[in-house]
Amino acid sequence: MILVVDVGNTNIVLGLYEGSNLTHHWRLSTNRSATVDEYGVLISNLFKLAGVRAEQIEGVILSCVVPPIMGTLEKLFQTYVGKEALVIGPGIKTGLNIRYENPREVGADRIVNAVAGIEQYGAPLVIVDFGTATTFDYIDGSGAYLGGAIVPGIGISAEALYQRAAKLPRIELSKPKTVVGRNTVAAMQSGIIYGYAGQVDGIVRRISKEFDVKPRVIATGGLAELIAGESETIEVVDALLTLEGLRIVYERNG
Ligand SMILES: Nc1ncnc2c1ncn2[C@@H]1O[C@H](COP(=O)(O)OP(=O)(O)OP(=O)(O)O)[C@@H](O)[C@H]1O
Ligand SMILES: CC(C)(CO)[C@@H](O)C(=O)NCCC(=O)O
Ligand SMILES: [K+]
């Protein structure tokens, strides 16, 4: 089996694949000050609970968009799994034709999403990933990764209102009954949820217009389901897209 790991700014998602079957997956908080051994205790316990021994893991692949913790994670897998992790970046074969001005600048999570998206849904394609930041990626009909858009994530947006406006509380991100909110919480929920759905549709439509295409539109990330229900352009929510992309890239480097 192989261990796939996506390190985001908020969460680290780990998955175990047996062939193309995801048998286990877990989510940890990204903690910039945790040590190799602190992460080691966490993953050892998760493996134990799942009845998996580290020796069963043949390989590890990692996408990371938090450079300061890269070193810790590389040591973590050397020490606690006994494997050198493949790291998405220069020297790894992704099979993706990246047309960013500087291909090294594209987030590793966006690259693996694109790899999985093309494989599973075909191109042209737009991928929307609702993470710490929300990213939009456009892949053209030939399967080339052209770029996209980066906007403040839903959590960041809600948090900013609470932090910066004295009378605005921290809210639960759920759908309000009406668009016209008649109390502060309902009004904030309306703004965040419907505003965000409108933003997604607006960007997807502008991408379609810019390239005169009708792309498929796939969403992933923690809050994808919530927004997809209100969006007119998202067709599919695929929560496992990033892990799937890591598995595919691992196989391409086998
Ligand atoms: N119900 C909620 N209420 C408020 N904030 C939330 C809620 N669910 C998630 N968030 C916040 O939204 C942001 C995105 O969370 P999510 O789990 O979707 O991203 P993620 O995939 O872990 O992100 P990354 O890959 O960037 O680490 C985080 O900052 C998270 O704390
Ligand atoms: C945009 C995020 C933070 C989303 O996780 C990540 O993909 C990232 O840090 N990207 C680097 C910048 C870029 O993709 O252009
Ligand atoms: K993400």
Side-chain angles (χ1 to χ4, degrees), residues 104-122:
R104 287 167 185 237
E105 208 175 81
V106 187
D109 49 357
R110 304 177 72 188
I111 293 175
V112 292
N113 280 343
V115 167
I118 295 168
E119 189 86 1
Q120 295 185 23
Y121 304 99

Side-chain angles (χ1 to χ4, degrees), residues 65-78:
V65 296
V66 190
I69 67 168
M70 257 319 285
T72 299
L73 294 169
E74 284 177 314
K75 271 198 215 92
L76 168 70
F77 300 116
Q78 286 161 355

Side-chain angles (χ1 to χ4, degrees), residues 8-11 27 130-132 155 173 221-223:
N9 284 286
T10 307
N11 283 161
R27 193 177 273 265
F130 298 94
T132 310
L173 288 180
L223 298 163

Side-chain angles (χ1 to χ4, degrees), residues 2 58-61 86 245-254:
I2 66 159
E58 300 147 45
V60 181
I61 186 162
L86 280 183
L246 284 164
R247 177 188 67 78
I248 295 166
V249 174
Y250 185 88
E251 282 174 7
R252 289 183 181 168
N253 289 270

